[in-house]
């Protein structure tokens, strides 16, 4: 029996039944276990609380039309978490154990996976943090890796209005290309300012020259040219989105759409026809307007209909994720029956 109201989904924290926890002590991970306790007790001087030694991942589990529960490319989340851990001086969590733990947590919360027809999913949030008390600025010695889940609906509800930010979300040679909590902490002030001003999100520029488009606080960005080519920024300080990498492959190999990954100047975006954000939470979310210091740049979309190339990519990607379109080998991982 479902424990989720599939007709009233939001993107807010909801407590589900079970979560996974593994502890790292004396140079090794323990066996890991499931727990029903959503609370964490730690010392006031835990490294994560003082120096933000933490990173996370995000993926989704879906109910398919034929009654299975699946997730999408969890191996890539496991891999990206390894990169994040290396950069944050945290121990790697083994990739095979990561994927198994994702499957175990989803299975234990399968009644919270929204119905196929709802368009929702079970969001899966793996994370790791430094746990022991540290006051001098060095790495923790003890860590916890956890995974919790929550049922979610759309992250964005309608076509988006973005604001080109005067703040940076990343530094040159910093941590923009990993999923460190600190990247999100530094985006909170500019995000709240943008929302107060009536925008949905900030569009950040490259922190070195402020000439090129990077991404938003929680998504990569993609554009479509007048002749139907997809263009997306290439930069060392943006997160290598799994959704974007999948879209690029779908465009090139399934839909025969040309894709350019290259530096994109902010001053050229008025030449593009369509613009959309992509990510696990955002899926593919069309952008209606980007405001660059008073200059309004609009794109081919409305609240009811995305641009035609965006729509084609959306239908193919979500069809693969939910089992109605054949996906490349290994992308869709079956967990259990619904
Ligand atoms: N960029 C940022 C800053 C993000 O937080 C996310 C979300 O995970 C993405 C891009 C999209 O990445 P993915 O498609 O792997 O979810
Ligand atoms: C995700 O899409 O998984 C993220 O981590 C982004 C966040 C805005 C929820």
């Amino acid at each position: 029996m479902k424990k989720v109201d599939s007709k009233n989904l939001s993107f807010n924290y909801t407590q589900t039944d079970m979560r996974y926890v593994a502890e790292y002590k004396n140079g090794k991970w323990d066996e890991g276990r499931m727990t029903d306790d959503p609370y964490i007790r730690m010392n006031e001087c835990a490294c994560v609380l003082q120096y933000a030694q933490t990173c996370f991942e995000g993926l989704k589990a879906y109910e398919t039309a034929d009654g299975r529960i699946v997730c999408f490319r969890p191996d890539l989340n496991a891999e990206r978490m390894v990169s994040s851990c290396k950069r944050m001086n945290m121990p790697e969590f083994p990739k095979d154990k990561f994927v198994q733990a994702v499957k175990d947590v989803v299975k234990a919360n399968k009644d919270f996976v929204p119905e196929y027809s709802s368009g929702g999913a079970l969001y899966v949030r793996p994370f790791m943090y430094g746990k022991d008390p540290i006051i001098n600025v060095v790495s923790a010695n003890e860590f916890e890796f956890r995974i919790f889940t929550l049922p979610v609906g759309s992250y964005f509800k309608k076509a988006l209005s973005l604001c080109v930010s005067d703040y940076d979300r990343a530094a040159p040679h910093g941590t923009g290309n990993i999923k460190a909590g600190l990247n999100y902490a530094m985006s909170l002030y500019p995000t709240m300012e943008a929302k107060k001003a009536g925008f949905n999100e900030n569009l950040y520029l490259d922190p070195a020259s402020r000439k090129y488009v990077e991404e938003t606080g929680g998504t990569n960005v993609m554009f479509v040219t007048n002749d139907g080519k997809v263009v997306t920024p290439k930069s060392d300080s943006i997160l290598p989105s799994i959704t974007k990498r999948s879209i690029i492959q779908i465009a090139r190999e399934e839909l025969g759409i040309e894709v350019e990954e290259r530096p994109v100047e902010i001053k050229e975006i008025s030449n593009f026809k369509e613009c959309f954000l992509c990510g696990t939470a955002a899926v593919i979310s069309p952008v209606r307007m980007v405001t660059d210091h008073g200059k309004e740049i609009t794109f081919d979309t409305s609240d009811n209909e995305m641009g035609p190339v965006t729509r084609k990519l959306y239908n193919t990607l979500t069809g693969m994720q939910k089992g109605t379109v054949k996906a490349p080998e290994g992308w869709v991982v079956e967990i259990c029956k619904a």
Side-chain angles (χ1 to χ4, degrees), residues 56-59 72 76-77 80 123 125 169 176 178-180 183-184 204 215-221 237-247 277-283:
F56 69 98
E57 269 306 322
L59 67 156
F72 189 70
L76 296 190
N77 295 94
R80 192 170 61 189
Y123 184 75
R125 173 54 64 87
R169 71 168 282 282
I178 59 156
K179 220 161 156 56
N183 296 339
Y184 300 81
Y204 295 100
E215 60 176 333
T216 74
T219 69
N220 280 180
V221 60
S237 45
I238 65 179
L239 192 76
S241 158
I242 293 163
T243 315
K244 178 180 73 183
R245 284 181 269 163
S246 305
I247 292 169
L277 304 185
C278 67
T280 298
V283 194

Side-chain angles (χ1 to χ4, degrees), residues 124-175:
V124 182
R125 173 54 64 87
F127 67 108
M128 193 190 294
Y129 65 95
K131 195 175 185 186
D132 48 318
I134 295 287
I135 195 69
N136 45 349
V137 184
V138 293
S139 175
N141 299 296
E142 294 175 13
F143 298 85
E144 225 172 78
F145 170 73
R146 286 184 163 250
I147 307 178
F148 64 87
T149 60
L150 52 143
V152 296
S154 310
Y155 190 70
F156 295 118
K157 301 258 180 279
K158 46 185 192 170
L160 305 172
S161 163
L162 311 182
C163 172
V164 175
S165 182
D166 287 326
Y167 293 89
D168 297 322
R169 71 168 282 282
H173 316 294
T175 53

Side-chain angles (χ1 to χ4, degrees), residues 224 227-230 246-247 250-252 254-258 274 276 284 305-320 325:
V224 180
D227 56 357
K229 201 189 301 167
V230 170
S246 305
I247 292 169
I250 288 169
R252 285 184 179 144
E254 311 283 332
L255 302 175
I257 297 172
E258 204 180 316
E274 297 172 43
F276 62 90
I284 286 180
E305 194 41 61
M306 325 180 168
V309 177
T310 307
R311 166 57 68 188
K312 219 186 259 181
L313 293 167
Y314 177 91
N315 287 351
T316 313
L317 175 72
T318 56
M320 286 179 178
V325 174

Side-chain angles (χ1 to χ4, degrees), residues 263-312:
V264 175
E265 285 195 53
I266 183 66
K267 67 173 193 227
E268 69 173 294
I269 72 166
S270 55
N271 300 333
F272 295 127
K273 188 155 177 259
E274 297 172 43
C275 173
F276 62 90
L277 304 185
C278 67
T280 298
V283 194
I284 286 180
S285 298
V287 174
R288 160 173 81 73
M289 182 163 73
V290 173
T291 302
D292 180 11
H293 300 90
K295 183 178 165 205
E296 292 184 348
I297 301 141
T298 54
F299 299 97
D300 182 7
T301 190
S302 71
D303 281 347
N304 302 320
E305 194 41 61
M306 325 180 168
V309 177
T310 307
R311 166 57 68 188
K312 219 186 259 181

Side-chain angles (χ1 to χ4, degrees), residues 61-79:
Y62 309 86
E63 185 177 293
T64 61
D66 60 356
R68 295 170 298 132
I69 292 174
V70 300
C71 63
F72 189 70
R73 310 190 78 181
D75 51 317
L76 296 190
N77 295 94
E79 218 164 76

